[in-house]
């Protein structure tokens, strides 16, 4: 295994994937003492707080943090759903200032995720370059960039674990070596130790589907009750081993869960919070169609970072090519794409309700959009297959017909773009009339009409620039297919493919990875200065949001009655 990985091609493309990751995270490379930041970041509001608490416990008191006294008037921390005390990838958070580490933790897990995508596709028989393109698209995908922007540091373990688990399952069925199966519960446990339980359960479900799919395709004519019982039993043993390996976190979590506000499960209306509206998937073509959080132009549902899964114009076309190149793997990943997309729609389709009602644990979590992890992963696997088909199997006249279709779509996109810019004033006038009508009928006090007119202009600019960008990359894709049809052996085709993807996807994703000086993020406020004058023991209940954010109060030994956490003790919540 070692010798195979370190042959020349694997090593070359692993280094290239590492450089892609470094470019994506260039801001943390240039500012190693800064913290990953965004205005709506859970990393700032929660994870920095928990990480500082661990660091404080270890360095100031020499204690392992079993109990957190700083929020909710104190609660058992070791069983907290997001504590991640035992994940080896975050061991240095105990001993060194945690804030600069966050960006590098993301960087390492993004690289490993892309590398495992590359190795998985290689195992499926895809060529080196196509596997590299899939790994690069995975690293640069907007779905993962938004994880950094939203500050979901715990989720980086899932980014790494999903392709690795699929790789191990595939290796087992190809080589029939138990070694690969032994690693599966270990990776399940690592993911669970480092991520929220919801992502772990969804991952087990998706890996189980792939495991059964491979069992059926390997056995072929020998599918019978005995074989199926064998494979189901093996997976049951994997789950038992997972429970044993992760018990240091699993059992405290289960114990705390029995006393939490979620112990009876969530009602359907709450569990389906964050469902993806079907119209929202236009962002697969234009990620900022509904505006951007970066400039305040956003105008649709809050929390869209759970939904957007833009992978770029050219990679999306490579995905579509798989309808012309179907095999057992492309059919499976097309199915996984469709399943995860429909599931993520939550309340808009019956599928999520069936899982909520009849599948254990699925009623404990919100945001069915968490299943978009597997939509993103399945799409990227299909990118690898589509790139391979384009590079080696797509011949004339089929190539020319596809070129004609892409050219036609490009012309339509350009025409729409021109119309949007030509009739800008008329479009804005219609929008302003709609705004004025809505504000006049509003039952609650809103901002002024001028405020919303400014937002309307920003939103219009995002839609217009989205069409312009899509048209530009469609034209570049048309040129790529033209070159392929005229000079199929041209060496420039490979770097041209990568450059199109990087300038489309990479530059966009980079804009969501921001850093900030921690001294500014955690600055001491006048309220904290006032409270520090009182040397007694007390707790504070702030009646205004963000008056005393927990990310700052813990640094100055201020104890709070309230807090921000995913799982609250039920008696205290009541």
């Amino acid at each position: 295994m070692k010798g195979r990985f370190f042959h020349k091609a694997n090593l070359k493309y692993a280094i290239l994937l590492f450089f892609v990751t470094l470019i994506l995270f260039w801001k943390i490379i240039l500012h190693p003492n800064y913290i990953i930041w965004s205005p709506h970041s859970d990393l700032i509001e929660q994870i920095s707080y928990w990480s500082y608490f661990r660091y404080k416990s270890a360095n100031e008191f020499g204690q392992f943090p079993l109990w957190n006294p700083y929020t909710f008037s104190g609660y058992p921390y070791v069983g907290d759903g997001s504590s991640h005390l035992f994940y080896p990838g975050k061991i240095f958070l105990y001993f060194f200032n945690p804030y600069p580490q966050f960006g590098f933790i993301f960087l390492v897990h993004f690289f490993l995720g892309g590398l495992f995508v590359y190795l998985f596709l290689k195992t499926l028989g895809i060529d080196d370059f196509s596997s590299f393109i899939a790994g690069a698209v995975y690293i640069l995908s907007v779905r993962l960039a938004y994880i950094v922007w939203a500050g979901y540091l715990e989720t980086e373990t899932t980014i790494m674990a999903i392709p690795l688990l699929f790789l191990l399952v595939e290796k087992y069925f190809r080589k029939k070596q138990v070694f690969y199966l032994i690693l599966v519960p270990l990776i399940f446990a690592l993911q669970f130790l480092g991520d929220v339980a919801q992502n772990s359960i969804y991952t087990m479900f998706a890996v189980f589907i792939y495991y059964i799919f491979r069992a059926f395709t390997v056995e072929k004519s020998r599918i019978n009750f005995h074989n199926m019982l064998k494979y189901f039993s093996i997976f049951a043993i994997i789950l038992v081993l997972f429970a044993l390996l992760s018990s240091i976190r699993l059992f405290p979590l289960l114990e705390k869960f029995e006393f939490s506000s979620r112990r009876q499960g969530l009602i359907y209306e709450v569990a389906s919070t964050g469902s993806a509206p079907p119209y929202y998937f236009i962002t697969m073509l234009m990620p900022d169609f509904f505006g951007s959080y970066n400039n305040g132009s956003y105008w649709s549902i809050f929390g869209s970072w759970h939904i957007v899964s833009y992978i770029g114009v050219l990679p999306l076309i490579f995905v579509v090519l798989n309808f012309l190149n179907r095999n057992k793997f492309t059919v499976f990943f097309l199915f996984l794409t469709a399943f995860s997309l429909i599931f993520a729609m939550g309340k808009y389709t019956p599928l999520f309700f069936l899982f909520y009602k009849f599948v254990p644990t699925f009623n404990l979590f919100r945001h069915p959009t968490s299943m978009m992890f597997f939509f993103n992963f399945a799409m990227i696997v299909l990118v690898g297959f589509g790139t391979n088909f384009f590079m080696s199997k797509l011949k004339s006249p089929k190539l020319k017909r596809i070129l004609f279709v892409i050219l036609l779509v490009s012309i339509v996109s350009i025409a729409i773009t021109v119309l949007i810019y030509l009739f800008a004033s008329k479009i804005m006038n219609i929008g302003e009339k709609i705004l004025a009508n809505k504000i006049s009928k509003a039952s609650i006090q809103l901002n002024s009409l001028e405020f919303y007119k400014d937002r309307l202009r920003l939103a219009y600019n995002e839609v217009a620039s989205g069409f312009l960008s899509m048209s530009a990359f469609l034209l570049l894709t048309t040129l790529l297919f033209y070159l392929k049809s005229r000079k199929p052996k041209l060496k420039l085709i490979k770097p041209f493919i990568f450059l199109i993807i990087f300038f489309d996807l990479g530059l966009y994703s980079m804009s969501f990875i921001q850093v900030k000086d921690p001294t500014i993020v955690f600055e001491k406020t006048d309220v904290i200065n006032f409270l520090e004058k009182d040397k007694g023991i007390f707790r504070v209940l702030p009646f205004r949001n963000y008056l005393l954010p927990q990310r700052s109060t813990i640094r100055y030994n201020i104890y709070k009655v309230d807090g921000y956490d995913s799982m609250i003790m039920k008696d205290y919540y009541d």
Side-chain angles (χ1 to χ4, degrees), residues 97-112:
N97 182 7
Y99 304 145
Q101 297 185 52
F102 298 146
F104 291 97
I105 291 173
F106 273 125
L107 187 155
V108 169
H109 286 80
F110 269 56
F111 164 67
L112 290 174

Side-chain angles (χ1 to χ4, degrees), residues 130-422:
S130 301
S131 300
F132 161 73
I133 288 296
V137 172
Y138 188 69
I139 291 167
L140 299 173
S141 62
V142 175
R143 171 66 181 164
L144 301 196
Y146 259 126
I147 285 169
V148 181
W149 181 87
Y152 298 152
L153 185 67
E154 69 276 6
T155 308
E156 91 287 351
T157 55
T158 295
I159 291 169
M160 174 193 70
I162 290 173
L164 177 54
L165 286 164
F166 275 76
L167 171 64
L168 293 173
V169 170
E170 185 60 32
K171 286 282 190 182
Y172 167 71
F173 280 103
R174 286 178 181 262
K175 297 180 177 291
K176 291 295 183 181
Q177 294 178 5
V178 179
F179 167 75
Y180 295 108
L181 274 190
I182 292 173
L183 291 178
V184 170
L186 177 62
I187 304 305
F188 275 148
L190 277 176
Q191 181 195 17
F192 180 73
L193 292 176
D195 201 352
V196 294
Q198 181 177 11
N199 287 336
S200 293
I201 289 169
Y202 285 7
T203 301
M204 289 176 192
F205 174 76
V207 171
F208 174 72
I209 293 175
Y210 187 69
Y211 171 83
I212 294 301
F213 157 74
R214 292 300 284 129
F216 272 87
T217 52
V218 167
E219 294 291 349
K220 295 180 181 177
S221 60
R222 295 185 297 165
I223 297 173
N224 53 47
F225 175 78
H226 178 265
N227 280 330
M228 287 301 99
L229 181 62
K230 178 185 75 174
Y231 284 114
F232 275 92
S233 300
I234 289 172
F235 204 84
I237 293 171
I238 286 173
L239 294 182
V240 171
L241 290 173
F242 152 74
L244 293 173
L245 289 167
S246 63
S247 59
I248 195 170
R249 182 187 178 213
L250 177 62
F251 292 113
L253 176 63
L254 291 175
E255 182 180 18
K256 184 178 179 182
F257 174 76
E258 285 300 310
F259 297 95
S260 79
S261 56
R262 294 194 183 198
R263 66 185 179 194
Q264 301 299 329
L266 302 173
I267 60 173
Y268 180 70
E269 288 72 17
V270 174
S272 59
T273 300
S275 299
Y279 64 79
Y280 209 91
F281 293 107
I282 193 173
T283 55
M284 290 173 60
L285 297 172
M286 291 176 284
D288 287 340
F289 184 85
F290 297 103
S292 171
Y293 287 106
N294 276 341
N295 60 12
S297 62
Y298 198 77
W299 56 272
S300 188
I301 58 173
F302 184 76
S304 66
W305 52 85
H306 293 283
I307 307 172
V308 176
S309 286
Y310 183 71
I311 59 170
V313 173
L314 178 57
L316 188 61
I317 291 172
F318 284 154
V319 170
V320 175
L321 289 181
N322 286 286
F323 289 97
L324 304 175
N325 182 43
R326 291 189 296 274
N327 57 49
K328 62 187 178 185
F329 293 108
T330 58
V331 169
F332 173 84
F333 284 103
L334 284 168
F335 161 78
L336 183 58
T337 300
F339 171 85
S340 51
L341 189 67
I342 296 169
F343 185 97
M345 292 182 192
K347 63 185 179 184
Y348 297 101
T349 73
L351 182 61
F352 175 71
F353 178 78
L354 293 174
F355 275 79
Y356 169 85
K357 195 74 175 175
F358 300 110
V359 181
T361 72
F362 275 73
N363 67 336
L364 302 177
F365 309 109
R366 297 173 298 149
H367 295 298
T369 46
S370 293
M371 194 63 78
M372 290 296 288
F373 260 118
F374 300 96
F375 174 80
N376 191 61
F377 173 68
M379 289 279 282
I380 282 156
V381 172
L382 293 170
V383 168
F385 277 96
T387 308
N388 178 254
F389 178 61
F390 172 78
M391 293 298 297
S392 59
K393 300 176 184 178
L394 187 57
K395 309 294 182 185
S396 295
K398 192 177 290 186
L399 177 58
K400 292 182 179 178
R401 289 199 294 269
I402 295 170
L403 172 60
F404 174 75
V405 172
I406 296 172
L407 179 61
L408 189 62
V409 173
S410 301
I411 293 170
V412 172
S413 179
I414 292 168
I416 294 172
T417 305
V418 171
L419 289 173
I420 287 174
Y421 280 101
L422 281 177

Side-chain angles (χ1 to χ4, degrees), residues 373-559:
F373 260 118
F374 300 96
F375 174 80
N376 191 61
F377 173 68
M379 289 279 282
I380 282 156
V381 172
L382 293 170
V383 168
F385 277 96
T387 308
N388 178 254
F389 178 61
F390 172 78
M391 293 298 297
S392 59
K393 300 176 184 178
L394 187 57
K395 309 294 182 185
S396 295
K398 192 177 290 186
L399 177 58
K400 292 182 179 178
R401 289 199 294 269
I402 295 170
L403 172 60
F404 174 75
V405 172
I406 296 172
L407 179 61
L408 189 62
V409 173
S410 301
I411 293 170
V412 172
S413 179
I414 292 168
I416 294 172
T417 305
V418 171
L419 289 173
I420 287 174
Y421 280 101
L422 281 177
F423 295 98
S425 60
K426 291 185 178 180
I427 294 171
M428 289 296 295
N429 286 336
I430 293 170
E432 288 176 4
K433 288 178 182 178
I434 294 171
L435 274 178
N437 184 53
K438 283 185 173 291
I439 289 175
S440 66
K441 295 179 179 179
S443 58
I444 59 174
Q445 185 176 357
L446 300 174
N447 286 311
S448 67
L449 178 59
E450 289 304 316
F451 172 86
Y452 290 108
K453 282 183 179 180
D454 288 340
R455 291 295 182 271
L456 180 65
R457 292 185 192 96
L458 287 172
Y460 165 79
N461 289 335
E462 291 294 347
V463 173
S465 62
F467 272 101
L468 183 62
S469 175
M470 183 174 68
S471 299
F473 287 108
L474 279 169
L475 283 175
L476 287 172
T477 301
T478 303
L479 176 59
L480 172 70
F481 275 72
Y482 174 76
L483 290 173
K484 179 67 174 174
S485 66
R486 296 299 299 268
K487 298 181 179 180
K489 301 296 184 182
L490 186 65
K491 291 183 179 180
L492 287 175
I493 287 177
K494 287 183 178 180
F496 192 35
I497 288 173
F498 176 76
L499 287 175
I500 291 173
I501 292 170
F502 180 78
F503 283 107
D504 181 6
L505 185 61
L507 294 182
Y508 181 83
S509 291
M510 261 190 263
S511 69
F512 284 92
I513 300 177
Q514 304 291 338
V515 295
K516 200 167 187 176
D517 187 340
T519 59
I520 298 173
V521 177
F522 305 102
E523 65 180 346
K524 187 184 290 189
T525 64
D526 291 339
V527 176
I528 292 174
N529 284 326
F530 171 78
L531 291 172
E532 278 192 316
K533 294 176 183 177
D534 188 335
K535 303 303 180 182
I537 298 175
F538 57 88
R539 295 190 184 278
V540 180
L541 177 60
F543 285 96
R544 282 173 51 196
N545 288 337
Y546 301 109
L547 184 64
L548 276 173
Q550 61 189 20
R551 68 172 188 255
S552 297
T553 53
I554 189 173
R555 295 170 60 87
Y556 305 106
N557 293 313
I558 296 171
Y559 299 88

Side-chain angles (χ1 to χ4, degrees), residues 62-129:
Q63 295 178 346
F64 189 76
L66 302 178
W67 179 269
N68 183 356
Y70 290 98
T71 53
F72 299 114
S73 300
Y75 66 93
Y77 184 66
V78 71
D80 193 73
S82 304
S83 61
H84 314 128
L85 292 171
F86 309 106
Y87 179 56
K90 296 171 184 170
I91 190 68
F92 292 112
L93 294 177
Y94 284 99
F95 307 109
F96 304 100
N97 182 7
Y99 304 145
Q101 297 185 52
F102 298 146
F104 291 97
I105 291 173
F106 273 125
L107 187 155
V108 169
H109 286 80
F110 269 56
F111 164 67
L112 290 174
L115 180 63
F116 293 138
V117 166
Y118 166 80
L119 293 174
F120 176 57
L121 281 160
K122 284 263 295 182
T123 304
L124 295 181
I126 302 302
D127 67 278
D128 291 307
F129 174 74

